[in-house]
Amino acid sequence: MSVMLALAPTALVALWLGRLGILAGGRGVAKALLAGAASVPVAACASIAASSVLGTVVPEGTAVHHVLRCVLCVALVEETVKRVAAARVARSARVGQFALHVLVGLGFGAAEDALYVCAGASWLPRALSCIAGHPLYGVLTGELLDRSRGARGRGDARAADLWSAAASLVPTAVHGLFDALCMAEGAMRTLCVVCVLAMAVAGSVAFVRMVRGRAEHSK
């Protein structure tokens, strides 16, 4: 039951995307979702390995270690793994690049939420962060990559490279900040919880606006 409650927002988001016309082609949608879900174990193993290396360089228990672990060992690893997963199914999925990255994010987030809840985590925080988490990072990645492709099509290679770099850096930075606040401990815990809730609300609003804007633009 807890897993179903945690995954309910993800299912609602997928249905909403379908009604907006962002998703097309059932088989392609399923492939992208499964690609995202299947990349969770890969990201987990890579994150553990990266954390072990970081522990030999930066002392554990320090604020610097906490931030670096969230940004480099979690956010950067997960965003990179999702980019690779999206690239692998890009041709066979036959959905737009924007939708592809949102779908991979949805699949990744759903699998991650289920694993966390099965491991004993509370379902409510996972459900609250579902829209503001991996699907939002997918929206950012897809939007910035589309801008890169548009700039390259206009012959502006420099702008294309900058947008492409932003497609890696911006989602990673937002992801890392969100995780750093979520996993903070000690005296700053209460403030971080408030910040996380604010980011979840703001992220959800941004997600809805960006997806609606994309749907209206594609009509």
Side-chain angles (χ1 to χ4, degrees):
M1 178 61 72
S2 294
V3 173
M4 291 177 64
L5 289 171
L7 296 182
T10 301
L12 292 175
V13 171
L15 289 172
W16 177 64
L17 291 173
R19 293 198 64 180
L20 285 178
I22 295 293
L23 310 184
R27 184 175 296 181
V29 170
K31 281 186 177 182
L33 288 170
L34 288 173
S39 62
V40 171
V42 177
C45 293
S47 181
I48 292 171
S51 297
S52 298
V53 173
L54 179 64
T56 64
V57 180
V58 181
E60 295 185 15
T62 63
V64 174
H65 179 274
H66 174 71
V67 173
L68 288 178
R69 179 181 176 276
C70 290
V71 174
L72 300 179
C73 304
V74 179
L76 180 60
V77 167
E78 291 184 355
E79 294 307 312
T80 301
V81 168
K82 286 186 294 181
R83 283 280 294 272
V84 172
R88 291 187 64 182
V89 298
R91 290 186 178 180
S92 59
R94 293 185 179 180
V95 296
Q97 186 165 245
F98 179 84
L100 175 64
H101 287 278
V102 177
L103 286 169
V104 169
L106 273 174
F108 189 100
E112 188 180 57
D113 288 350
L115 289 174
Y116 269 113
V117 174
C118 289
S122 174
W123 66 269
L124 185 58
R126 305 307 307 178
L128 287 174
S129 66
C130 122
I131 299 174
H134 292 286
L136 174 61
Y137 311 144
V139 165
L140 294 173
T141 302
E143 181 69 25
L144 293 169
L145 284 176
D146 267 359
R147 290 176 181 267
S148 174
R149 184 173 59 181
R152 200 170 298 281
R154 295 190 301 270
D156 191 344
R158 183 182 179 186
D161 291 340
L162 289 174
W163 284 120
S164 182
S168 296
L169 296 176
V170 173
T172 298
V174 176
H175 187 168
L177 175 61
F178 190 80
D179 282 7
L181 291 171
C182 281
M183 294 184 276
E185 296 179 354
M188 296 293 289
R189 179 67 177 173
T190 302
L191 177 60
C192 287
V193 169
V194 173
C195 291
V196 165
L197 290 175
M199 284 187 69
V201 172
S204 298
V205 171
F207 174 83
V208 171
R209 286 183 174 179
M210 292 180 74
V211 171
R212 277 183 173 172
R214 176 54 66 99
E216 291 175 0
H217 178 72
S218 61
K219 288 180 180 179

